[in-house]
Amino acid sequence: MNWWKVIGGVLGGAVILAAGLLIGHFGISKNTEPKWATALSRDVDEEFIQEFMKEVDTKRIEDNLRRLSLKPHVATTPADEELVQTILSHWKDANSGLDDAQEFRYDVFLSFPDKNNPNNVKVVTPEGTVKFTSKRAENETTTDQRDPDILQPYLAFAPNGTAKGKLVYANEGKVSDFQHLSEKINLTGTIAIVRYGGTGRVNKAINAAQFGVIGVIIYTDPKDINDGKSSASETYPNSWYLPPSGVERGSFKENFGDQLTPYYPAKNSTYRIKESEIKGLSPIPAQPIGFEDAKSLICNLQGPPAIDSWQGSLGCIYNIGPGFQPSSEFINSDVEVNVYNKRTIKSSANVMGIIHGSVEPDRYVMYGNHRDSWVHGAIDPSSGTAVMMEITRVLGTKLKQGKWRPRRSIIFGSWGAEEFGLVGSTEFAEEYYSKLKDRTVAYINVDISVFANASLRAQGTAPAQSVIFEASKQVKTPQGTTVYENWKSNYNRTSPQYGLIPQMGALGSGSDYAPFLHYLGITCMDIAYTYDRRVTSARIYPAYHTAFDTFDYASKFIDPGFTSHQMVGRTAGNVLLRLADSLILPLGVRDYAETLEDYYNRAEQSFQSNLVSKNISLAPLKMAINRYKKACEALEETIKELKETKETPLKIRMINDQLMLLERTFINHMAFPEQLYYSHIIWAPRSSGVATFPGLADAYLQATASNSQDDWDMVHHQLTIAIYAVESAASTLEQVTHISQR
Amino acid sequence: MNWWKVIGGVLGGAVILAAGLLIGHFGISKNTEPKWATALSRDVDEEFIQEFMKEVDTKRIEDNLRRLSLKPHVATTPADEELVQTILSHWKDANSGLDDAQEFRYDVFLSFPDKNNPNNVKVVTPEGTVKFTSKRAENETTTDQRDPDILQPYLAFAPNGTAKGKLVYANEGKVSDFQHLSEKINLTGTIAIVRYGGTGRVNKAINAAQFGVIGVIIYTDPKDINDGKSSASETYPNSWYLPPSGVERGSFKENFGDQLTPYYPAKNSTYRIKESEIKGLSPIPAQPIGFEDAKSLICNLQGPPAIDSWQGSLGCIYNIGPGFQPSSEFINSDVEVNVYNKRTIKSSANVMGIIHGSVEPDRYVMYGNHRDSWVHGAIDPSSGTAVMMEITRVLGTKLKQGKWRPRRSIIFGSWGAEEFGLVGSTEFAEEYYSKLKDRTVAYINVDISVFANASLRAQGTAPAQSVIFEASKQVKTPQGTTVYENWKSNYNRTSPQYGLIPQMGALGSGSDYAPFLHYLGITCMDIAYTYDRRVTSARIYPAYHTAFDTFDYASKFIDPGFTSHQMVGRTAGNVLLRLADSLILPLGVRDYAETLEDYYNRAEQSFQSNLVSKNISLAPLKMAINRYKKACEALEETIKELKETKETPLKIRMINDQLMLLERTFINHMAFPEQLYYSHIIWAPRSSGVATFPGLADAYLQATASNSQDDWDMVHHQLTIAIYAVESAASTLEQVTHISQR
């Protein structure tokens, strides 16, 4: 044996082996990440979004709408309960459903008309002869109005009673209207007829009562809703305009949520306050009527004519009263308002559906709309529900096919009893307050999805703006432009930062986003299609809350072909997917800086000189806003670096928590002790005309009126609250290990 | 050439190469995880904890204590400011410091005695002759008492004025004491002398004023503090007992935090309420004195003798007055209380230090103690600070050596102005409310670290129990047993779940944990070494808040050898490291079930029969607690599975968020509108003797007293609040994608 050869062979073998080892170890790429790590860093899938949008189908939305608006489905009625089951069965469908769906029930305080004892408005002569009685129901313009389940017109929670007195015309029932009127005539013991618009429904009666008025009649003037058109031939079924017999129903209360159980879920074991302790109800009876009936009343009024801005389109001079013209058949007659509503506690259901998140199941993107209507509710709310059901169908199908699962959990809500004041959503927000505020990324509301088919209309807080812009740029209109461009051409503003952009609206408390925004501090948005203001000045779509808001009306006059519904579904769904699937949450927190600076500038402009004289300085507010801006810029830098370098999933979560929780820093439950729920420093209601921090603006209004030191102290107090909120916001966005006081 | 050989060689080489490739690829373990993934799943390092504990050094603690207690360092005095710099320089030390340290300053409302116009208590004859004046300062028992910077005895925030009247003895100044006294004598216009104990300091004067008393003198009875010993020879410097001239100073206010800026950080730009709007201050002048002075007053009182339980150890019969015995030199004399305090706004500093977390920098474990004292404050608070500085030295050294970095961030706080009512900590908690409540895992407070050297004493909410148990089992006593076993033998209870265990105490509002617990809802604990109750019944360590609380006193009588300090440092540091480094947070949320069940049982036992007659059912509370227990059990199961299977870092974060945020679900800022800060459903203050939900217990107390329907309604309301809190807690612990209503 040749030792050298053996040694050589051994050596050669060793070299080959070594090469193999090296190549095997380093050369053949092993996936260096565990599978979960790959899933953790997956970003939103643009192809999937395109696929989703493609599948949102007009025909299916139309079918949904037809089914949803087949019958009047007022909250807690059998028809409402049927829809609960319909939605549940869709969301539980094995092929197109969600992961889970359930009913969430609350025992809530509602108010209904008495079938056997209908409310009415009468004209009664001194001898007791009834010369006029308001219509009990809308005219049967189509078969839809024949439905026996249509509730007669009423105002929910309007107190019962009979009020009788001379009639006066009080324009929109604003405080300034009654002020003006009271300078001309004695209002004590009168009945006021007012038109919808200008102020909230119940506020008309609350204001009236302060001037001695004892009963209120509310009607819809053709000037406000019909672009002046009032004849039967000009209105539905011949156009989208409200027929003369149409009556807007509605809730007659100031506050939202179940009124007997503020802050706690309405269950039968929950403590209920007394009805007498409820705030924000009308102290006097009130009843809505159609403009046909209103014409009989208003056009017979005596007294001096109302000023020009009070005149409407009933085809006569509106006199202010009190009482009727000597020449009219109503001479010397009083007007009687008779209300026989029944207050009652009923079980109302929300239907909640969930798609479990794969990576961050404990982060929720919420999407919701109410289910209950006043009559058939084709537009309000079924146009929104029809879209929501189409979104859940497309996503549910992908889910069941195993083609998609969101990074974060998605929760859908079909809320009950919204028409009675956002009751179902508020009770849900109360019951799950803790976990919703800790985990919810954003809430998307699509209530009425199509008011009209001209342009997108989006409301929301600043962090929602960028994702709505991004989504709407990806959706095409039937005319071939994008939803974004069309929106921008219809409603726009010039932003200091971005130039000409579509105008986002502010969120009030008009739909179910209110508890999530005002009480929990969750970034909210509301998306719809709306009017071309060059074409109509209608206060809202004319059939709103009447027996004419039907499938026939919607499909013929609001959105023939359902393409606007489709655009809303595509836009809102796109937003939903970006919020659910993006690695970094698409919340533009920096856009709040623009809101804050705008607020600051208005405060400085309107308040500064008086504040200086009271030794109250706005400078710390300015400093806080600058700190906020710097924090946003630094965070954006961090996010950019994070995207470039390979970073850990916990760093991404950290950033996302900062983005998610930013809106929460504006919540201060101590800020407005007189307000139920409202705790958002930026978006609480404001009486002042100065568009700045509402607490500051209203305190300033009060202080300048009274000039008392206590009131000026309150201005300083509210300024402190605003400063502190902005400082907290900055602090939440700053680097988490940064310690240094401003 | 032999082809076979060549082929054989090639084949052989290929086989060897293939083997190499295979072994290289599969056999040589490549770290299949990216590096960050390994770091993300690292759990607490037990070896490091042992190493840490080993290095906590008695000598260094002693040195710290000597330096910290060298001079009187009342909040905002130059000596306090010097310590700010001392602590800053330690925490910024390049070799043993933290990552960063900074001052956080607030402009706070304080109260000091007037150097030129000392407060006093006098006995004045009808002719105006002063027969007695209380001592201006403590006796110079050692050189320490000679320090010119010692503040004369006073009660901070006691109102100024001169009150003059007949003296009465009112035991501890509880409402029941004055009630009892008022049945025997007319209290109007009297001066009451009361002993410390039984009720809060300021409450003695608030109670007194309700009975017509116009001035209050407070002293420390040897019975309560000295186990009856009162002679100079039996007291310090001959023992740990309080010398006859010792006077307990203190804050004289009910509420904590800066009193002019409730809920907002005290900065000069912040709105301040008026002094007259401050709640919880004494309406009448008050002054503390030593028992030597008290003896002159009490032992000369006339009137019937006080009942047995009111008698103390001054060596005479305590008569109740009013006025002095005819046989005494004070015959017919009045007593005068003269108070000349100065209220002022001062800049007070917290020193904050941070160690950046490596994996979850946005999760904070907080550890703090106040820095300010009443005099030298060797025990209160420097014993705690001496320990904190030793913990930061050991950890800081490891950090700077690159041997360790915690998973989560650790924030250390040296709070200012605690003695004036937790001012520094409260202002910090207010300023960073949003981010602290979103990110803080737990707060560890070590104020007085050694009251006495007999046993551990830990207070905390339920989730803190298990980690304190675990840590204390790893610390040895000088006697060779464990801190845990020694604790258990001194203070214990029988738990339904665990059998005999050490007794954890409840947290009131006695130190800086209060704002974090009661306002932010952060899991808190307070750790110290304490008395052997078989040996002493002292109300607190005798030199508390006097000029005798010195290094000499501490090192000779409280903890010779500093081994108790060391044990506290090891235990608290061990807890800190577990909270900072554990993969799954060591918070025993299940232990709250025991608290809740105990609360339920007491409510059922004490209230049930009356509640049934008022149609108020406790059943939904029981159901909520059962739901909580089930949620805990399921979560524990999930955690067990998580530890066994390889799970993603985001799943772990999700569980940790549930654990961290559990305590937050008990916070309800609407629950107790009359209370400043207190918002914790379980731990808010309670007047009722029934140890259950404080809101429920106090409402029940009120309702049974008045039997008014409104008060019974409040019972139901408070029961709703309790139920809702427990439901929210359960909801937070349940699976995050679970949707189903209870």
Side-chain angles (χ1 to χ4, degrees):
Chain A
M1 191 169 271
N2 187 330
W3 283 104
W4 284 111
K5 274 192 186 166
V6 172
I7 288 167
V10 168
L11 276 178
V15 168
I16 295 169
L17 180 67
L21 288 172
L22 288 167
I23 295 168
H25 189 62
F26 293 104
I28 301 176
S29 158
K30 204 186 282 188
N31 183 357
T32 57
E33 285 186 342
K35 218 168 162 191
W36 56 257
T38 315
L40 258 50
S41 58
R42 194 179 299 131
D43 206 344
V44 66
D45 179 347
E46 293 291 348
E47 268 176 50
F48 181 77
I49 290 187
Q50 291 302 327
E51 211 178 304
F52 158 80
M53 292 200 298
K54 216 174 105 194
E55 295 187 20
V56 173
D57 183 43
T58 53
K59 193 68 190 59
R60 289 190 185 260
I61 295 174
E62 183 178 350
D63 289 347
N64 289 342
L65 187 65
R66 189 180 291 110
R67 192 172 336 106
L68 289 163
S69 61
L70 199 62
K71 286 187 276 188
H73 50 285
V74 176
T76 75
T77 61
D80 179 38
E81 289 294 338
E82 254 177 60
L83 289 186
V84 167
Q85 296 312 317
T86 303
I87 292 169
L88 263 181
S89 74
H90 273 80
W91 288 356
K92 288 190 164 186
D93 189 278
N95 299 314
S96 64
L98 313 176
D99 286 319
D100 193 9
Q102 297 288 338
E103 288 172 49
F104 285 64
R105 293 200 161 266
Y106 300 95
D107 309 306
V108 302
F109 182 63
L110 303 180
S111 159
F112 295 96
D114 184 348
K115 255 194 175 171
N116 304 317
N117 210 5
N119 299 343
N120 60 59
V121 171
K122 286 179 179 166
V123 176
V124 187
T125 66
E127 297 75 33
T129 312
V130 175
K131 290 279 189 178
F132 164 91
T133 302
S134 60
K135 280 209 151 68
R136 185 171 172 166
E138 277 114 338
N139 287 352
E140 290 179 14
T141 302
T142 72
T143 54
D144 287 325
Q145 289 78 42
R146 221 174 281 161
D147 195 302
D149 288 338
I150 296 177
L151 286 194
Q152 55 146 322
Y154 80 117
L155 296 166
F157 304 108
N160 289 350
T162 290
K164 189 174 168 184
K166 296 280 174 256
L167 187 68
V168 300
Y169 171 63
N171 192 33
E172 293 175 322
K174 302 188 295 287
V175 171
S176 58
D177 293 333
F178 286 108
Q179 190 66 53
H180 172 82
L181 205 57
S182 70
E183 286 160 13
K184 302 197 170 171
I185 52 179
N186 179 9
L187 291 174
T188 307
T190 60
I191 305 293
I193 184 164
V194 299
R195 52 190 176 120
Y196 273 115
T199 185
R201 212 175 276 126
V202 73
N203 299 99
K204 297 170 191 287
I206 291 172
N207 298 341
Q210 284 170 17
F211 287 83
V213 173
I214 58 169
V216 165
I217 303 160
I218 313 182
Y219 81 103
T220 307
D221 200 285
K223 180 184 174 190
D224 303 318
I225 204 95
N226 277 359
D227 295 314
K229 311 263 187 327
S230 62
S231 73
S233 64
E234 291 170 312
T235 59
Y236 179 73
N238 303 306
S239 79
W240 83 322
Y241 291 122
L242 182 67
S245 68
V247 186
E248 180 183 322
R249 293 149 185 81
S251 167
F252 216 56
K253 60 190 260 208
E254 271 193 324
N255 294 314
F256 58 82
D258 177 70
Q259 298 173 95
L260 295 180
T261 58
Y263 299 125
Y264 305 101
K267 303 184 185 186
N268 280 331
S269 62
T270 302
Y271 170 66
R272 292 192 169 99
I273 64 170
K274 298 180 195 70
E275 281 188 40
S276 60
E277 293 172 321
I278 297 173
K279 284 177 190 153
L281 291 184
S282 167
I284 55 176
Q287 177 65 12
I289 61 173
F291 65 79
E292 185 177 19
D293 281 347
K295 185 172 179 175
S296 302
L297 300 174
I298 292 173
C299 291
N300 281 316
L301 279 172
Q302 64 174 357
I307 55 173
D308 280 1
S309 61
W310 289 30
Q311 296 296 328
S313 302
L314 291 175
C316 65
I317 302 290
Y318 293 27
N319 298 325
I320 58 173
F324 297 105
Q325 294 170 20
S327 60
S328 93
E329 56 164 340
F330 297 163
I331 176 171
N332 287 332
S333 293
D334 281 340
V335 166
E336 218 178 73
V337 178
N338 293 296
V339 178
Y340 310 102
N341 294 336
K342 285 178 161 176
R343 295 182 179 183
T344 174
I345 287 170
K346 292 269 193 183
S347 171
S348 172
N350 298 328
V351 184
M352 307 304 301
I354 190 166
I355 301 178
H356 302 167
S358 57
V359 175
E360 296 183 89
D362 59 338
R363 287 296 173 262
Y364 306 147
V365 182
M366 293 184 71
Y367 182 115
N369 180 28
H370 67 104
R371 187 184 57 255
D372 66 306
S373 61
W374 280 120
V375 192
H376 299 81
I379 290 299
D380 182 7
S382 307
S383 64
T385 307
V387 165
M388 175 164 70
M389 284 173 72
E390 176 59 359
I391 291 175
T392 59
R393 181 195 66 82
V394 176
L395 294 182
T397 306
K398 300 289 181 194
L399 184 77
K400 298 293 178 183
Q401 289 168 346
K403 289 185 177 160
W404 168 80
R405 177 168 293 286
R407 178 182 179 89
R408 305 181 180 88
S409 295
I410 301 178
I411 297 177
F412 291 97
S414 168
W415 310 117
E418 188 263 5
E419 293 295 4
F420 291 84
L422 327 182
V423 176
S425 53
T426 303
E427 297 312 300
F428 185 82
E430 287 172 343
E431 182 165 15
Y432 300 100
Y433 175 87
S434 285
K435 72 177 185 190
L436 292 178
K437 87 176 160 37
D438 290 337
R439 300 176 187 163
T440 309
V441 160
Y443 172 69
I444 306 166
N445 197 66
V446 180
D447 182 342
I448 295 170
S449 68
V450 184
F451 290 87
N453 57 11
S455 167
L456 194 73
R457 187 227 59 183
Q459 304 170 328
T461 65
Q465 177 178 276
S466 57
V467 65
I468 297 176
F469 282 5
E470 196 171 358
S472 62
K473 283 175 184 169
Q474 295 192 326
V475 183
K476 284 266 184 299
T477 68
Q479 292 73 36
T481 178
T482 66
V483 164
Y484 175 87
E485 287 300 331
N486 178 56
W487 178 19
K488 191 166 78 174
S489 73
N490 275 278
Y491 300 91
N492 54 55
R493 68 177 178 104
T494 301
S495 143
Q497 191 175 353
Y498 307 108
L500 192 74
I501 52 170
Q503 168 81 59
M504 289 270 292
L507 291 166
S509 57
S511 190
D512 292 300
Y513 51 75
F516 300 104
L517 174 66
H518 294 294
Y519 185 45
L520 276 68
I522 291 167
T523 295
C524 285
M525 64 205 86
D526 186 276
I527 298 173
Y529 237 68
T530 194
Y531 321 98
D532 179 347
R533 281 301 178 198
R534 291 160 299 192
V535 172
T536 180
S537 68
R539 190 171 55 79
I540 191 164
Y541 72 96
Y544 173 73
H545 285 198
T546 72
F548 304 106
D549 184 356
T550 59
F551 178 78
D552 181 67
Y553 178 86
S555 57
K556 280 192 185 133
F557 297 109
I558 299 286
D559 189 22
F562 287 87
T563 51
S564 296
H565 282 78
Q566 186 185 46
M567 285 186 283
V568 170
R570 285 174 172 167
T571 306
N574 190 318
V575 168
L576 176 70
L577 284 171
R578 288 181 188 283
L579 287 165
D581 282 344
S582 294
L583 192 60
I584 302 282
L585 284 174
L587 294 173
V589 295
R590 190 184 187 168
D591 292 334
Y592 246 132
E594 216 171 87
T595 314
L596 295 174
E597 287 198 308
D598 188 42
Y599 269 24
Y600 176 82
N601 291 335
R602 285 169 196 267
E604 190 185 72
Q605 205 178 323
S606 305
F607 307 156
Q608 174 104 307
S609 57
N610 267 331
L611 290 183
V612 166
S613 75
K614 299 288 171 187
N615 275 317
I616 302 171
S617 169
L618 288 172
L621 179 59
K622 177 135 205 151
M623 282 170 56
I625 294 170
N626 285 339
R627 178 179 164 200
Y628 182 83
K629 280 171 67 180
K630 273 176 75 175
C632 290
E633 284 158 21
L635 185 64
E636 278 181 6
E637 204 52 47
T638 308
I639 291 173
K640 217 161 71 186
E641 284 165 18
L642 209 64
K643 283 182 169 168
E644 280 164 12
T645 61
K646 178 85 197 163
E647 275 292 355
T648 81
L650 287 174
K651 289 248 169 74
I652 287 160
R653 169 82 165 210
M654 177 184 82
I655 304 277
N656 282 337
D657 278 359
Q658 290 175 288
L659 297 170
M660 174 179 80
L661 294 172
L662 183 268
E663 191 92 44
R664 240 72 99 225
T665 63
F666 293 116
I667 291 292
N668 180 341
H669 291 317
M670 269 70 161
F672 313 116
E674 300 301 307
Q675 299 268 19
L676 197 61
Y677 301 115
Y678 292 107
S679 314
H680 198 300
I681 298 306
I682 318 271
W683 301 117
R686 167 171 50 79
S687 304
S688 161
V690 183
T692 184
F693 299 92
L696 177 64
D698 285 359
Y700 182 89
L701 186 70
Q702 171 78 13
T704 44
S706 74
N707 206 21
S708 86
Q709 187 54 46
D710 277 0
D711 286 341
W712 283 109
D713 284 351
M714 185 49 81
V715 173
H716 194 180
H717 189 177
Q718 285 293 340
L719 178 62
T720 288
I721 288 172
I723 293 166
Y724 169 73
V726 180
E727 296 275 1
S728 295
S731 188
T732 280
L733 296 185
E734 282 164 1
Q735 229 195 309
V736 299
T737 54
H738 174 76
I739 57 161
S740 159
Q741 207 174 13
R742 70 159 156 114
Chain B
M1 193 171 269
N2 185 333
W3 283 104
W4 283 109
K5 271 191 186 167
V6 172
I7 288 168
V10 168
L11 275 180
V15 167
I16 295 167
L17 179 67
L21 288 171
L22 288 169
I23 296 167
H25 189 61
F26 294 104
I28 302 177
S29 159
K30 200 186 282 184
N31 186 353
T32 58
E33 287 184 339
K35 220 167 161 192
W36 55 259
T38 316
L40 258 49
S41 60
R42 195 179 298 130
D43 206 344
V44 66
D45 179 348
E46 292 290 347
E47 267 177 50
F48 181 76
I49 289 188
Q50 290 302 327
E51 212 178 302
F52 159 79
M53 291 201 298
K54 216 174 106 192
E55 293 185 23
V56 172
D57 184 44
T58 54
K59 191 70 190 57
R60 288 189 185 259
I61 294 172
E62 183 177 351
D63 290 347
N64 289 343
L65 187 66
R66 189 181 292 109
R67 189 166 346 101
L68 289 164
S69 63
L70 200 61
K71 287 188 274 188
H73 50 285
V74 176
T76 74
T77 62
D80 179 38
E81 290 294 340
E82 254 178 60
L83 289 186
V84 167
Q85 296 311 318
T86 305
I87 292 169
L88 263 181
S89 73
H90 273 79
W91 288 355
K92 288 189 163 189
D93 189 278
N95 299 314
S96 63
L98 313 175
D99 285 319
D100 193 9
Q102 297 288 338
E103 288 172 49
F104 285 65
R105 291 198 163 268
Y106 300 96
D107 308 306
V108 301
F109 181 64
L110 303 179
S111 160
F112 296 95
D114 182 349
K115 254 194 172 167
N116 304 318
N117 209 6
N119 299 344
N120 61 58
V121 171
K122 287 180 178 166
V123 175
V124 188
T125 67
E127 297 74 35
T129 313
V130 174
K131 288 281 188 178
F132 165 90
T133 303
S134 59
K135 281 209 148 69
R136 186 173 171 163
E138 277 116 338
N139 287 351
E140 292 180 12
T141 301
T142 72
T143 53
D144 286 325
Q145 289 76 43
R146 220 175 282 163
D147 194 302
D149 288 338
I150 295 177
L151 286 194
Q152 56 144 322
Y154 80 118
L155 297 166
F157 306 106
N160 289 349
T162 290
K164 189 175 170 184
K166 295 284 173 250
L167 187 69
V168 299
Y169 170 63
N171 192 33
E172 292 174 324
K174 302 188 295 288
V175 170
S176 59
D177 293 334
F178 286 108
Q179 189 66 52
H180 172 84
L181 205 57
S182 70
E183 286 160 15
K184 301 196 170 171
I185 53 179
N186 178 7
L187 292 174
T188 308
T190 60
I191 306 293
I193 183 165
V194 297
R195 54 190 174 118
Y196 272 116
T199 185
R201 212 175 274 128
V202 73
N203 299 98
K204 297 170 191 288
I206 290 172
N207 298 341
Q210 284 169 18
F211 287 83
V213 173
I214 58 169
V216 165
I217 304 160
I218 313 185
Y219 80 104
T220 307
D221 200 287
K223 182 185 173 190
D224 301 319
I225 204 96
N226 277 359
D227 295 315
K229 311 264 187 325
S230 62
S231 73
S233 64
E234 290 169 313
T235 59
Y236 178 73
N238 302 307
S239 79
W240 84 322
Y241 290 122
L242 181 68
S245 68
V247 186
E248 179 183 322
R249 292 149 185 80
S251 168
F252 217 55
K253 61 189 259 208
E254 269 191 326
N255 294 315
F256 58 82
D258 177 71
Q259 297 172 98
L260 295 181
T261 59
Y263 300 125
Y264 305 102
K267 304 184 184 186
N268 280 332
S269 62
T270 301
Y271 170 67
R272 292 191 169 101
I273 64 170
K274 299 180 192 70
E275 280 188 42
S276 60
E277 293 173 319
I278 298 174
K279 283 178 191 151
L281 292 183
S282 167
I284 55 177
Q287 176 65 11
I289 60 173
F291 65 77
E292 185 177 20
D293 280 349
K295 185 172 180 175
S296 303
L297 299 174
I298 290 175
C299 293
N300 281 317
L301 279 173
Q302 63 174 359
I307 54 174
D308 280 2
S309 61
W310 288 31
Q311 296 296 327
S313 301
L314 292 176
C316 65
I317 301 291
Y318 292 28
N319 297 325
I320 58 173
F324 296 105
Q325 292 169 21
S327 61
S328 92
E329 57 163 340
F330 296 163
I331 177 171
N332 287 334
S333 293
D334 280 340
V335 166
E336 218 177 72
V337 179
N338 294 297
V339 178
Y340 311 102
N341 294 336
K342 286 178 162 176
R343 295 180 179 185
T344 173
I345 287 170
K346 292 268 191 183
S347 172
S348 173
N350 298 329
V351 184
M352 306 305 300
I354 189 164
I355 302 178
H356 302 167
S358 56
V359 176
E360 296 181 270
D362 59 338
R363 285 297 173 261
Y364 306 148
V365 182
M366 295 187 68
Y367 181 116
N369 180 29
H370 66 104
R371 185 185 58 255
D372 66 307
S373 61
W374 279 119
V375 193
H376 300 81
I379 291 300
D380 182 7
S382 308
S383 64
T385 307
V387 166
M388 175 163 70
M389 286 174 71
E390 177 59 359
I391 290 174
T392 59
R393 182 195 65 84
V394 177
L395 294 182
T397 306
K398 301 288 179 192
L399 185 78
K400 299 294 180 184
Q401 290 168 345
K403 291 185 177 160
W404 168 81
R405 178 168 292 285
R407 176 183 180 89
R408 304 181 179 89
S409 294
I410 300 177
I411 297 177
F412 291 96
S414 167
W415 311 116
E418 187 264 6
E419 294 295 4
F420 292 83
L422 327 182
V423 176
S425 53
T426 303
E427 297 313 300
F428 184 82
E430 286 171 344
E431 184 165 14
Y432 300 99
Y433 174 87
S434 285
K435 75 177 181 188
L436 293 178
K437 86 176 161 39
D438 290 338
R439 299 176 187 163
T440 309
V441 161
Y443 172 68
I444 305 166
N445 197 67
V446 180
D447 182 342
I448 296 171
S449 69
V450 184
F451 291 86
N453 58 9
S455 166
L456 194 74
R457 186 229 59 179
Q459 303 169 329
T461 64
Q465 177 179 278
S466 57
V467 66
I468 298 176
F469 281 5
E470 196 172 356
S472 63
K473 282 175 183 170
Q474 294 191 327
V475 184
K476 283 268 185 297
T477 68
Q479 292 74 35
T481 178
T482 65
V483 163
Y484 176 87
E485 286 298 331
N486 179 56
W487 180 17
K488 190 165 79 174
S489 72
N490 275 277
Y491 300 90
N492 54 54
R493 70 176 177 106
T494 301
S495 142
Q497 191 177 352
Y498 305 109
L500 194 75
I501 52 170
Q503 168 81 60
M504 290 271 291
L507 292 166
S509 58
S511 189
D512 292 301
Y513 51 75
F516 300 104
L517 175 66
H518 293 295
Y519 185 45
L520 275 69
I522 290 166
T523 295
C524 286
M525 64 204 88
D526 187 278
I527 298 174
Y529 238 69
T530 194
Y531 321 98
D532 179 346
R533 280 301 179 199
R534 291 160 300 192
V535 173
T536 180
S537 69
R539 190 170 56 78
I540 192 165
Y541 72 95
Y544 172 73
H545 285 197
T546 73
F548 303 108
D549 184 355
T550 60
F551 178 78
D552 181 67
Y553 177 85
S555 56
K556 280 191 184 135
F557 298 110
I558 299 286
D559 189 22
F562 287 84
T563 51
S564 296
H565 282 79
Q566 186 184 45
M567 285 186 284
V568 170
R570 287 174 171 169
T571 307
N574 189 318
V575 169
L576 176 68
L577 285 171
R578 287 179 189 284
L579 287 165
D581 281 344
S582 296
L583 191 60
I584 302 282
L585 284 174
L587 294 173
V589 294
R590 191 184 188 167
D591 291 334
Y592 246 132
E594 216 170 86
T595 313
L596 295 174
E597 288 199 308
D598 189 42
Y599 268 24
Y600 177 81
N601 292 335
R602 285 169 197 268
E604 189 185 73
Q605 209 176 320
S606 305
F607 306 157
Q608 174 104 307
S609 57
N610 267 332
L611 292 183
V612 166
S613 74
K614 300 289 172 188
N615 276 318
I616 302 170
S617 169
L618 287 171
L621 179 58
K622 176 133 206 154
M623 280 169 57
I625 295 170
N626 285 340
R627 179 180 163 198
Y628 182 83
K629 280 171 68 180
K630 273 176 74 175
C632 289
E633 283 158 22
L635 184 64
E636 279 182 5
E637 201 53 43
T638 308
I639 292 174
K640 219 161 72 186
E641 284 164 18
L642 209 65
K643 284 184 170 166
E644 281 163 12
T645 61
K646 178 85 199 164
E647 276 292 354
T648 81
L650 287 175
K651 288 249 170 74
I652 287 159
R653 169 83 165 210
M654 175 184 82
I655 303 276
N656 283 337
D657 278 0
Q658 290 175 286
L659 297 171
M660 173 179 81
L661 294 172
L662 183 267
E663 191 94 41
R664 239 73 99 224
T665 62
F666 293 116
I667 292 292
N668 180 341
H669 291 317
M670 269 68 161
F672 313 117
E674 300 302 307
Q675 299 268 19
L676 197 60
Y677 299 116
Y678 292 107
S679 316
H680 198 300
I681 297 306
I682 317 270
W683 302 117
R686 167 171 49 81
S687 305
S688 160
V690 182
T692 185
F693 299 92
L696 177 64
D698 285 358
Y700 182 89
L701 187 70
Q702 171 77 12
T704 45
S706 74
N707 206 21
S708 84
Q709 187 55 44
D710 277 0
D711 286 342
W712 283 110
D713 284 350
M714 185 49 80
V715 173
H716 194 179
H717 189 175
Q718 285 293 340
L719 177 61
T720 287
I721 288 172
I723 292 167
Y724 170 72
V726 180
E727 297 274 1
S728 294
S731 188
T732 281
L733 296 186
E734 283 164 1
Q735 229 195 310
V736 299
T737 54
H738 175 75
I739 57 159
S740 155
Q741 207 173 14
R742 71 159 154 113

